[in-house]
mmCIF file of all heavy atoms in Angstrom:
data_model
loop_
_atom_site.group_PDB
_atom_site.id
_atom_site.type_symbol
_atom_site.label_atom_id
_atom_site.label_comp_id
_atom_site.label_asym_id
_atom_site.label_seq_id
_atom_site.Cartn_x
_atom_site.Cartn_y
_atom_site.Cartn_z
ATOM 1 N N PRO A 21 112.186 70.787 102.937
ATOM 2 C CA PRO A 21 111.428 69.529 102.875
ATOM 3 C C PRO A 21 110.528 69.298 104.134
ATOM 4 O O PRO A 21 109.454 68.806 103.988
ATOM 5 C CB PRO A 21 112.533 68.449 102.763
ATOM 6 C CG PRO A 21 113.665 69.181 102.152
ATOM 7 C CD PRO A 21 113.617 70.562 102.730
ATOM 8 N N THR A 22 111.052 69.699 105.244
ATOM 9 C CA THR A 22 110.224 69.559 106.472
ATOM 10 C C THR A 22 109.003 70.436 106.401
ATOM 11 O O THR A 22 107.896 70.003 106.714
ATOM 12 C CB THR A 22 111.069 69.907 107.719
ATOM 13 O OG1 THR A 22 112.170 69.030 107.766
ATOM 14 C CG2 THR A 22 110.247 69.794 109.005
ATOM 15 N N LEU A 23 109.163 71.690 105.990
ATOM 16 C CA LEU A 23 108.033 72.608 105.839
ATOM 17 C C LEU A 23 107.034 72.083 104.810
ATOM 18 O O LEU A 23 105.818 72.168 105.045
ATOM 19 C CB LEU A 23 108.508 73.998 105.498
ATOM 20 C CG LEU A 23 109.193 74.803 106.566
ATOM 21 C CD1 LEU A 23 109.660 76.122 106.022
ATOM 22 C CD2 LEU A 23 108.259 74.993 107.727
ATOM 23 N N GLU A 24 107.524 71.619 103.686
ATOM 24 C CA GLU A 24 106.627 71.101 102.669
ATOM 25 C C GLU A 24 105.836 69.895 103.220
ATOM 26 O O GLU A 24 104.666 69.702 102.863
ATOM 27 C CB GLU A 24 107.382 70.783 101.387
ATOM 28 C CG GLU A 24 107.840 72.068 100.695
ATOM 29 C CD GLU A 24 108.740 71.815 99.498
ATOM 30 O OE1 GLU A 24 109.269 70.689 99.347
ATOM 31 O OE2 GLU A 24 108.947 72.755 98.731
ATOM 32 N N THR A 25 106.460 69.082 104.047
ATOM 33 C CA THR A 25 105.771 67.934 104.657
ATOM 34 C C THR A 25 104.728 68.422 105.642
ATOM 35 O O THR A 25 103.590 67.983 105.610
ATOM 36 C CB THR A 25 106.796 67.029 105.360
ATOM 37 O OG1 THR A 25 107.698 66.488 104.410
ATOM 38 C CG2 THR A 25 106.110 65.887 106.083
ATOM 39 N N ILE A 26 105.085 69.338 106.517
ATOM 40 C CA ILE A 26 104.166 69.830 107.552
ATOM 41 C C ILE A 26 103.002 70.618 106.906
ATOM 42 O O ILE A 26 101.866 70.367 107.229
ATOM 43 C CB ILE A 26 104.905 70.716 108.562
ATOM 44 C CG1 ILE A 26 105.842 69.860 109.391
ATOM 45 C CG2 ILE A 26 103.904 71.452 109.460
ATOM 46 C CD1 ILE A 26 106.787 70.682 110.265
ATOM 47 N N LEU A 27 103.334 71.476 105.968
ATOM 48 C CA LEU A 27 102.288 72.318 105.412
ATOM 49 C C LEU A 27 101.522 71.653 104.306
ATOM 50 O O LEU A 27 100.300 71.879 104.149
ATOM 51 C CB LEU A 27 102.884 73.607 104.889
ATOM 52 C CG LEU A 27 103.620 74.493 105.895
ATOM 53 C CD1 LEU A 27 104.264 75.702 105.182
ATOM 54 C CD2 LEU A 27 102.697 74.929 106.951
ATOM 55 N N GLY A 28 102.175 70.792 103.521
ATOM 56 C CA GLY A 28 101.565 70.309 102.280
ATOM 57 C C GLY A 28 101.015 68.905 102.270
ATOM 58 O O GLY A 28 100.172 68.572 101.407
ATOM 59 N N ARG A 29 101.443 68.049 103.184
ATOM 60 C CA ARG A 29 100.916 66.682 103.177
ATOM 61 C C ARG A 29 99.437 66.603 103.510
ATOM 62 O O ARG A 29 98.984 67.325 104.382
ATOM 63 C CB ARG A 29 101.696 65.799 104.203
ATOM 64 C CG ARG A 29 102.984 65.268 103.657
ATOM 65 C CD ARG A 29 103.650 64.276 104.605
ATOM 66 N NE ARG A 29 102.854 63.094 104.731
ATOM 67 C CZ ARG A 29 102.879 62.328 105.819
ATOM 68 N NH1 ARG A 29 103.625 62.635 106.842
ATOM 69 N NH2 ARG A 29 102.169 61.227 105.855
ATOM 70 N N SER A 30 98.733 65.723 102.853
ATOM 71 C CA SER A 30 97.300 65.624 103.099
ATOM 72 C C SER A 30 96.982 65.190 104.524
ATOM 73 O O SER A 30 95.940 65.494 105.034
ATOM 74 C CB SER A 30 96.675 64.630 102.103
ATOM 75 O OG SER A 30 97.240 63.357 102.239
ATOM 76 N N ARG A 31 97.885 64.485 105.171
ATOM 77 C CA ARG A 31 97.683 64.056 106.573
ATOM 78 C C ARG A 31 98.029 65.132 107.591
ATOM 79 O O ARG A 31 97.826 64.932 108.773
ATOM 80 C CB ARG A 31 98.469 62.809 106.877
ATOM 81 C CG ARG A 31 98.121 61.618 106.035
ATOM 82 C CD ARG A 31 96.885 60.886 106.474
ATOM 83 N NE ARG A 31 97.066 60.359 107.861
ATOM 84 C CZ ARG A 31 96.066 60.083 108.653
ATOM 85 N NH1 ARG A 31 94.819 60.238 108.245
ATOM 86 N NH2 ARG A 31 96.310 59.632 109.839
ATOM 87 N N THR A 32 98.571 66.256 107.134
ATOM 88 C CA THR A 32 98.842 67.377 108.059
ATOM 89 C C THR A 32 97.950 68.545 107.662
ATOM 90 O O THR A 32 96.743 68.425 107.689
ATOM 91 C CB THR A 32 100.363 67.717 108.078
ATOM 92 O OG1 THR A 32 100.798 67.993 106.740
ATOM 93 C CG2 THR A 32 101.196 66.574 108.681
ATOM 94 N N LEU A 33 98.510 69.680 107.294
ATOM 95 C CA LEU A 33 97.701 70.841 106.956
ATOM 96 C C LEU A 33 97.107 70.792 105.537
ATOM 97 O O LEU A 33 96.156 71.484 105.249
ATOM 98 C CB LEU A 33 98.481 72.135 107.166
ATOM 99 C CG LEU A 33 98.899 72.409 108.620
ATOM 100 C CD1 LEU A 33 99.746 73.657 108.711
ATOM 101 C CD2 LEU A 33 97.705 72.478 109.532
ATOM 102 N N GLY A 34 97.755 70.054 104.605
ATOM 103 C CA GLY A 34 97.217 69.870 103.287
ATOM 104 C C GLY A 34 97.131 71.112 102.438
ATOM 105 O O GLY A 34 96.329 71.196 101.477
ATOM 106 N N LEU A 35 97.987 72.100 102.714
ATOM 107 C CA LEU A 35 97.997 73.298 101.920
ATOM 108 C C LEU A 35 98.609 73.066 100.536
ATOM 109 O O LEU A 35 99.435 72.176 100.358
ATOM 110 C CB LEU A 35 98.756 74.422 102.652
ATOM 111 C CG LEU A 35 98.190 74.820 104.002
ATOM 112 C CD1 LEU A 35 99.190 75.700 104.721
ATOM 113 C CD2 LEU A 35 96.859 75.560 103.847
ATOM 114 N N ASP A 36 98.226 73.883 99.577
ATOM 115 C CA ASP A 36 98.844 73.883 98.274
ATOM 116 C C ASP A 36 100.063 74.793 98.319
ATOM 117 O O ASP A 36 99.935 76.014 98.131
ATOM 118 C CB ASP A 36 97.828 74.377 97.216
ATOM 119 C CG ASP A 36 98.363 74.362 95.831
ATOM 120 O OD1 ASP A 36 99.464 73.781 95.553
ATOM 121 O OD2 ASP A 36 97.751 74.949 94.951
ATOM 122 N N VAL A 37 101.220 74.219 98.596
ATOM 123 C CA VAL A 37 102.432 74.977 98.870
ATOM 124 C C VAL A 37 103.218 75.288 97.579
ATOM 125 O O VAL A 37 103.483 74.398 96.807
ATOM 126 C CB VAL A 37 103.349 74.210 99.866
ATOM 127 C CG1 VAL A 37 104.633 75.004 100.126
ATOM 128 C CG2 VAL A 37 102.615 73.919 101.136
ATOM 129 N N THR A 38 103.545 76.532 97.429
ATOM 130 C CA THR A 38 104.421 76.970 96.353
ATOM 131 C C THR A 38 105.637 77.701 96.970
ATOM 132 O O THR A 38 105.438 78.570 97.801
ATOM 133 C CB THR A 38 103.698 77.946 95.417
ATOM 134 O OG1 THR A 38 102.563 77.328 94.854
ATOM 135 C CG2 THR A 38 104.643 78.389 94.262
ATOM 136 N N SER A 39 106.868 77.258 96.627
ATOM 137 C CA SER A 39 108.057 77.850 97.147
ATOM 138 C C SER A 39 108.636 78.801 96.129
ATOM 139 O O SER A 39 108.714 78.444 94.949
ATOM 140 C CB SER A 39 109.056 76.785 97.553
ATOM 141 O OG SER A 39 108.530 76.038 98.594
ATOM 142 N N VAL A 40 109.132 79.897 96.578
ATOM 143 C CA VAL A 40 109.866 80.882 95.721
ATOM 144 C C VAL A 40 111.295 80.890 96.249
ATOM 145 O O VAL A 40 111.525 81.077 97.446
ATOM 146 C CB VAL A 40 109.226 82.279 95.807
ATOM 147 C CG1 VAL A 40 110.059 83.307 95.065
ATOM 148 C CG2 VAL A 40 107.767 82.256 95.367
ATOM 149 N N THR A 41 112.247 80.659 95.336
ATOM 150 C CA THR A 41 113.621 80.447 95.761
ATOM 151 C C THR A 41 114.638 81.377 95.095
ATOM 152 O O THR A 41 115.071 81.110 93.984
ATOM 153 C CB THR A 41 114.060 78.986 95.498
ATOM 154 O OG1 THR A 41 113.073 78.097 96.043
ATOM 155 C CG2 THR A 41 115.400 78.691 96.081
ATOM 156 N N PRO A 42 114.990 82.486 95.718
ATOM 157 C CA PRO A 42 116.111 83.278 95.181
ATOM 158 C C PRO A 42 117.425 82.542 95.544
ATOM 159 O O PRO A 42 117.581 82.073 96.651
ATOM 160 C CB PRO A 42 116.009 84.597 95.923
ATOM 161 C CG PRO A 42 115.250 84.332 97.135
ATOM 162 C CD PRO A 42 114.359 83.139 96.852
ATOM 163 N N GLU A 43 118.292 82.461 94.602
ATOM 164 C CA GLU A 43 119.560 81.709 94.751
ATOM 165 C C GLU A 43 120.720 82.639 95.092
ATOM 166 O O GLU A 43 120.676 83.809 94.772
ATOM 167 C CB GLU A 43 119.897 80.953 93.471
ATOM 168 C CG GLU A 43 118.851 79.949 93.024
ATOM 169 C CD GLU A 43 118.938 78.647 93.776
ATOM 170 O OE1 GLU A 43 119.829 78.454 94.591
ATOM 171 O OE2 GLU A 43 118.076 77.778 93.487
ATOM 172 N N LEU A 44 121.721 82.072 95.722
ATOM 173 C CA LEU A 44 123.015 82.741 95.966
ATOM 174 C C LEU A 44 122.802 84.061 96.748
ATOM 175 O O LEU A 44 123.438 85.072 96.403
ATOM 176 C CB LEU A 44 123.749 82.971 94.649
ATOM 177 C CG LEU A 44 124.101 81.683 93.894
ATOM 178 C CD1 LEU A 44 124.496 82.023 92.463
ATOM 179 C CD2 LEU A 44 125.182 80.903 94.603
ATOM 180 N N THR A 45 122.001 84.045 97.737
ATOM 181 C CA THR A 45 121.652 85.268 98.438
ATOM 182 C C THR A 45 122.791 85.927 99.188
ATOM 183 O O THR A 45 122.746 87.096 99.511
ATOM 184 C CB THR A 45 120.501 85.010 99.444
ATOM 185 O OG1 THR A 45 120.889 83.975 100.353
ATOM 186 C CG2 THR A 45 119.228 84.613 98.733
ATOM 187 N N MET A 46 123.870 85.192 99.434
ATOM 188 C CA MET A 46 125.030 85.755 100.125
ATOM 189 C C MET A 46 126.068 86.297 99.137
ATOM 190 O O MET A 46 127.064 86.849 99.541
ATOM 191 C CB MET A 46 125.643 84.718 101.021
ATOM 192 C CG MET A 46 124.795 84.364 102.241
ATOM 193 S SD MET A 46 124.491 85.728 103.298
ATOM 194 C CE MET A 46 126.128 86.099 103.971
ATOM 195 N N ALA A 47 125.862 86.099 97.849
ATOM 196 C CA ALA A 47 126.844 86.517 96.864
ATOM 197 C C ALA A 47 127.266 87.999 97.010
ATOM 198 O O ALA A 47 128.443 88.294 96.907
ATOM 199 C CB ALA A 47 126.348 86.215 95.466
ATOM 200 N N PRO A 48 126.338 88.899 97.221
ATOM 201 C CA PRO A 48 126.765 90.321 97.332
ATOM 202 C C PRO A 48 127.605 90.606 98.583
ATOM 203 O O PRO A 48 128.318 91.594 98.637
ATOM 204 C CB PRO A 48 125.442 91.079 97.430
ATOM 205 C CG PRO A 48 124.418 90.215 96.806
ATOM 206 C CD PRO A 48 124.880 88.814 97.153
#
């Protein structure tokens, strides 16, 4: 959420942010 605020908010960098989320990365 902090990164999306810093990178994506119009009052900051205003980038079009897309997150890719692999789940359960520690399972193996």
